[in-house]
Amino acid sequence: MRHMNVALILSGGTGTRLGSDIPKQYIEAGGRPVIGYCISVLSAHEQIDALHIVADKSWHDLIGKVLEKSDRKGKFKGFSVPGKNRQLSIFHGLEDIRKYAGDHGYVLIHDAARPLLSSGQISDCLKAADGHDGLMPALPMKDTVYVSRDHGKSVASLLDRSMVYAGQAPEVFRIRRYYEANRKLLPEEIYKINGSTEPAVLDGMDIVMIPGDEGNFKITTAGDLERFQEIVERGT
């Protein structure tokens, strides 16, 4: 029997940097909430067996309506409670996913606020992750990168740009291995984690990289939202 591939959609953010009362993933664009776009793509993908969503209970009804239209294959399995930071939200999701997916499958972690996820990127991530503990799409740095030790007041050193990459999503991990890597960070260290792949690297997991997709940007600012709305209006 083939192992399960579970998509864990993170939708617990408050979107405060956007300057809106509504979290960015629930703002409508092109006639549907932003979260609906990644749900549609993930649900339709033949290699994704289940969808799991981290979201505050106050948004469950709205997400339920999105699922009625976007989860055409009925892959949604349940909600998990958001944590105090992004990584703790992921850990809560992993705890719930293990109840039905076991330990031998893969979890694909994606942000609800990244609506331009493509089916091809999902396929590339799952294919490249096979045989490894995990995978991260990454983009090479285009700008010169400097190190500052006084919060940007002066330059301390220069980094080799060819060795520096920006992590993207979706990231893919073996469920049990990644769960254990996160569990080791409890109760306090998990609050220091900023990126999904950090716990994997800290625990020595075998993580490979593939080229990311520049079009798969995260909506963080009002400018990002405007950019996405323009893309939707153009139908591209």
Side-chain angles (χ1 to χ4, degrees):
M1 181 178 177
R2 184 173 67 83
H3 64 253
M4 286 189 74
N5 292 323
V6 183
L8 177 60
I9 301 173
L10 303 178
S11 192
T14 58
T16 53
R17 281 181 287 181
L18 199 64
S20 170
D21 292 334
I22 302 175
K24 56 207 170 188
Q25 61 271 29
Y26 304 125
I27 294 175
E28 284 212 2
R32 57 174 163 165
V34 167
I35 188 175
Y37 290 87
C38 72
I39 288 176
S40 292
V41 175
L42 288 164
S43 175
H45 199 283
E46 62 181 13
Q47 289 180 273
I48 296 297
D49 303 298
L51 303 179
H52 203 96
I53 301 174
V54 177
D56 188 87
K57 190 173 182 179
S58 60
W59 295 102
H60 287 190
D61 287 344
L62 182 148
I63 296 173
K65 293 176 182 177
V66 172
L67 287 164
E68 287 177 8
K69 297 179 179 179
S70 303
D71 180 21
R72 298 295 176 84
K73 297 191 177 181
K75 295 182 179 181
F76 175 67
K77 295 297 185 182
F79 290 106
S80 289
V81 178
K84 291 183 179 179
N85 74 336
R86 184 176 186 274
Q87 201 61 36
L88 197 56
S89 290
I90 290 173
F91 185 72
H92 289 170
L94 291 170
E95 287 184 307
D96 292 333
I97 286 169
R98 292 178 73 222
K99 295 174 184 176
Y100 60 83
D103 286 329
H104 302 296
Y106 283 91
V107 58
L108 180 148
I109 299 173
H110 193 67
D111 299 294
R114 287 186 187 266
L116 294 175
L117 174 64
S118 70
S119 178
Q121 184 75 342
I122 296 170
S123 296
D124 290 346
C125 288
L126 292 174
K127 180 179 179 180
D130 189 36
H132 300 277
D133 291 333
L135 168 141
M136 177 181 71
L139 296 172
M141 296 300 295
K142 294 181 178 180
D143 300 314
T144 304
V145 184
Y146 299 91
V147 174
S148 175
R149 305 189 191 283
D150 54 10
H151 305 286
K153 295 178 182 178
S154 63
V155 176
S157 60
L158 172 69
L159 294 180
D160 183 348
R161 185 170 60 187
S162 67
M163 298 176 65
V164 180
Y165 291 81
Q168 253 206 334
E171 291 131 307
V172 180
F173 305 101
R174 289 190 187 275
I175 294 174
R176 181 174 183 176
R177 189 75 174 80
Y178 188 57
Y179 170 81
E180 292 296 338
N182 280 272
R183 188 180 61 81
K184 292 175 184 178
L185 297 172
L186 297 174
E188 299 296 333
E189 291 300 311
I190 199 166
Y191 293 112
K192 300 177 183 178
I193 301 298
N194 295 308
S196 307
T197 303
E198 281 187 53
V201 174
L202 291 171
D203 202 45
M205 290 174 60
D206 167 30
I207 306 298
V208 294
M209 294 196 307
I210 64 169
D213 176 3
E214 290 189 357
N216 185 25
F217 63 89
K218 187 176 182 179
I219 297 175
T220 303
T221 66
D224 296 330
L225 180 60
E226 289 175 9
R227 177 185 172 192
F228 175 62
Q229 288 172 328
E230 289 174 359
I231 291 172
V232 172
E233 288 172 6
R234 292 198 308 266
T236 57

